[in-house]
Amino acid sequence: MRLRRGTQVRRVRRRRPNIESKRVNVDFPAWMVTGLDRQAKRLGITRQALFKMWIAEHLE
C-alpha cells in the first residue's frame, strides 16, 4: 500500500481479546536490517510494526 505525501496516517492500537503474545528473537544480517529500517521509515512505522504487518499478510 502506498500513501501520497502529506497523507495523514492514524495509528490505532487495538487489543485482541484472548490472543496471547509470545516473544520471538530473530537474527538478521546488518544489510537486511538496514533495508527493513528504510522500508519502515518510508511507511512511517516501526520495524516491529513492519514485521507484524508483513507476517500477517503472508499468514492470511
Side-chain angles (χ1 to χ4, degrees):
M1 177 174 101
R2 293 208 169 189
L3 300 175
R4 293 182 183 176
R5 286 182 190 233
T7 301
Q8 292 289 325
V9 177
R10 207 173 125 209
R11 293 184 191 144
V12 178
R13 188 169 248 201
R14 296 184 183 152
R15 295 232 178 236
R16 294 183 179 175
N18 302 322
I19 295 184
E20 180 184 341
S21 292
K22 283 205 160 214
R23 181 170 300 276
V24 177
N25 295 315
V26 182
D27 295 324
F28 292 103
W31 66 267
M32 199 178 289
V33 174
T34 300
L36 291 164
D37 288 343
R38 191 177 319 127
Q39 186 71 5
K41 184 177 180 180
R42 187 182 72 77
L43 295 171
I45 59 177
T46 64
R47 184 190 307 154
Q48 181 174 341
L50 182 70
F51 284 133
K52 288 179 179 182
M53 184 178 73
W54 283 356
I55 291 170
E57 287 173 359
H58 287 83
L59 292 178
E60 290 178 347

